[in-house]
Amino acid sequence: MDACRRSSRETIRPVVGDGQVRKHMDISGRTVLIVGGTTGIGRALAQRFVDAGSTVVVGGRNIEQVDGVETVRIDVTDAASVAQARDEVLAEHPDLDVVVTMSGVMLTEDLRDPDHIAQAETTISVNLLGTIRVIDAFTPHLLGRGEGDIITVSSGIGFLPFPLMATYGASKAAVHSYTESLRAHLAGTGIAVTELIPPAVANAGQEKLNPNALPMGDFLDEVIGLLTQNPTPKEIVVERAKPLRWAEHDDTYQELLAARSQSLSNLPGR
Ligand SMILES: NC(=O)c1ccc[n+]([C@@H]2O[C@H](COP(=O)([O-])OP(=O)(O)OC[C@H]3O[C@@H](n4cnc5c(N)ncnc54)[C@H](OP(=O)(O)O)[C@@H]3O)[C@@H](O)[C@H]2O)c1
């Protein structure tokens, strides 16, 4: 990578919203809701906040299997469920000041088969509309406090498609774009908006799909390091995610996309 490209990335990273440079995020003594925190990255991130001294509630549909942390039942595809969860959490934790929109589904699709629309609809409903519903539910509360953090979760795949998960990539590109607009809307309110952009991270589902996925502990070490860096970057991009996040910028996009398209040969009949 030449010096020009590197300096251009650097200017993008530390600046937020309307040009203000933000301070680092405190992860101790916060009251945190992680929607999509019942398993995987969300559950592991919850533990890091707990270990740092924060109070954490994790949300999802399947809360029975969650041990060691407070839970709230929430289905982000259902507006009434989101409203009920919001009311329950704020009644118990009126000092809530961090909301993480982690809920996501990662579904493969065969775009030659129109039946894939079912996966596409679920993906948009959970990953994109679910993110928007949760943010809408808690934004008035955070505005009322005049401070807080919203952390959205996109994916490296939002920046460099993985064609086997076409709508997934589209949903995460949309989460990225929405996050950029949200940050502009909330500039000057005291609410910081941060986008977490994971690469492939090893949890139960991903191990089979990608044996090269980053171990969860290594991923979270880097994530916490970046969140607590001063200033906190507006995007949390661990080293493994950088080739994806910056592929277009680095001129590696077409080559990487062609390599990632090889996965389509796994589909029946290809
Ligand atoms: N792992 C990776 O390699 C990777 C890479 C890039 C981005 N990401 C993103 O990181 C986030 C977490 O992924 P993960 O790998 O940790 O996956 P995961 O273990 O499958 O976790 C997904 C979470 O989303 C929740 N969820 C799914 N549907 C929901 C719904 N309708 N309402 C509420 N919650 C729902 C699940 O909870 P319930 O089942 O309890 O509802 C679970 O807590 C996702 O947004 C994913 O797209 C992951």
Side-chain angles (χ1 to χ4, degrees):
M1 188 198 321
D2 61 32
C4 171
R5 283 180 186 161
R6 183 177 296 115
S7 74
S8 169
R9 284 187 187 186
E10 295 305 322
T11 56
I12 292 169
R13 283 195 275 152
V15 179
V16 295
D18 54 1
Q20 313 153 278
V21 174
R22 77 185 266 199
K23 297 183 185 138
H24 76 285
M25 185 186 297
D26 176 22
I27 63 162
S28 66
R30 308 296 298 274
T31 304
V32 185
L33 171 65
I34 302 181
V35 181
T38 52
T39 59
I41 296 172
R43 180 65 187 88
L45 181 65
Q47 198 57 47
R48 295 298 180 114
F49 273 101
V50 168
D51 294 346
S54 289
T55 299
V56 182
V57 182
V58 298
R61 296 159 304 170
N62 302 300
I63 55 176
E64 290 77 13
Q65 80 244 11
V66 181
D67 279 331
V69 67
E70 193 179 328
T71 59
V72 64
R73 193 179 305 281
I74 180 169
D75 180 345
V76 300
T77 66
D78 176 354
S81 168
V82 173
Q84 185 176 337
R86 184 241 356 250
D87 292 348
E88 282 175 29
V89 170
L90 293 182
E92 195 68 29
H93 299 287
D95 54 351
L96 182 84
D97 61 353
V98 183
V99 176
V100 183
T101 58
M102 184 70 76
S103 294
V105 290
M106 286 159 269
L107 304 177
T108 59
E109 293 166 273
D110 181 349
L111 303 195
R112 295 185 193 180
D113 177 0
D115 284 349
H116 85 94
I117 192 69
Q119 286 96 308
E121 287 181 355
T122 300
T123 302
I124 295 297
S125 183
V126 177
N127 297 10
L128 177 57
L129 292 173
T131 294
I132 296 171
R133 284 187 193 99
V134 171
I135 291 169
D136 283 348
F138 288 96
T139 294
H141 164 79
L142 295 175
L143 284 172
R145 287 182 63 83
E147 61 175 358
D149 285 277
I150 295 173
I151 303 177
T152 62
V153 182
S154 62
S155 168
I157 292 175
F159 297 88
L160 179 69
F162 182 59
L164 201 52
M165 302 198 298
T167 308
Y168 177 78
S171 75
K172 293 299 190 175
V175 167
H176 167 69
S177 178
Y178 195 86
T179 303
E180 294 277 294
S181 294
L182 178 69
R183 188 178 297 113
H185 278 261
L186 298 182
T189 65
I191 305 170
V193 178
T194 306
E195 179 182 351
L196 176 61
I197 308 176
V201 176
N203 64 32
Q206 283 279 321
E207 274 153 12
K208 279 181 243 152
L209 207 60
N210 183 359
N212 298 319
L214 190 60
M216 184 70 79
D218 295 352
F219 173 63
L220 283 171
D221 287 348
E222 258 188 278
V223 167
I224 295 298
L226 290 166
L227 283 177
T228 56
Q229 179 179 297
N230 196 358
T232 299
K234 68 172 186 171
E235 295 179 1
I236 303 301
V237 188
V238 301
E239 289 298 324
R240 188 73 73 87
K242 285 182 178 172
L244 309 178
R245 172 64 182 94
W246 299 111
E248 210 157 6
H249 187 272
D250 291 346
D251 230 2
T252 53
Y253 187 94
Q254 291 304 336
E255 185 191 331
L256 290 173
L257 180 58
R260 291 157 75 84
S261 300
Q262 305 288 324
S263 61
L264 294 174
S265 63
N266 293 327
L267 288 170
R270 301 277 183 101

